[in-house]
Amino acid sequence: MKKQILFLASLFVITMTACTNDSTKKTEKNTASVTTSQEKKNAEYAVLSFAENEYNFGTISEGDIVNHKFSFTNTGTVPLIILTAKGSCGCTVSKWSKKPIAPGEKGEMLVTFNSNDKPNQQIKQVTITANTKTGKEILKIKAMVTPKTRTVTSATPVSK
């Protein structure tokens, strides 16, 4: 009887050890397969690499219209296609090439800021929709806008 129990216990230990090693190997294979699949998916995106993501115009006068060109490179492996570039308000306008930008090629995006009726500190952003991994990229512009001097009209005195 002792021999049978010893035999069954040994068989149980061998079975459990064999299952553990086999499942570990399967998990490693699945993980490697998923990693390779993710790497392939990552390689299928354009990468919009800007020289700078933010620009400060410094101090400007209210009513000034200022421009800045943001330079970028497509460091991805597929052509970059910029679908839209929208400002956070009507005061920012973007201009860019509508043609696809091949991997390794450079491009520019012109951002214009109209400070009319925008006194004091201004922080605006341009949201770019493109075929990048996240699908959206953001540029920021800043300016300290010196307000226009406004004339105050005095009220006419009331007659007694």
Side-chain angles (χ1 to χ4, degrees), residues 33-45 77-78:
S33 174
V34 168
T35 303
T36 303
S37 175
Q38 287 173 344
E39 288 171 356
K40 286 180 183 177
K41 286 181 181 178
N42 289 344
E44 294 174 6
Y45 293 105
T77 57
V78 298

Side-chain angles (χ1 to χ4, degrees), residues 41-49 72-82 100-105 130-137:
K41 286 181 181 178
N42 289 344
E44 294 174 6
Y45 293 105
V47 178
L48 191 54
S49 299
F72 62 87
T73 305
N74 176 8
T75 57
T77 57
V78 298
L80 170 69
I81 301 169
I82 299 174
I101 313 251
E105 283 189 6
N131 62 328
T132 59
K133 186 174 182 178
T134 60
K136 293 188 187 274
E137 308 297 324

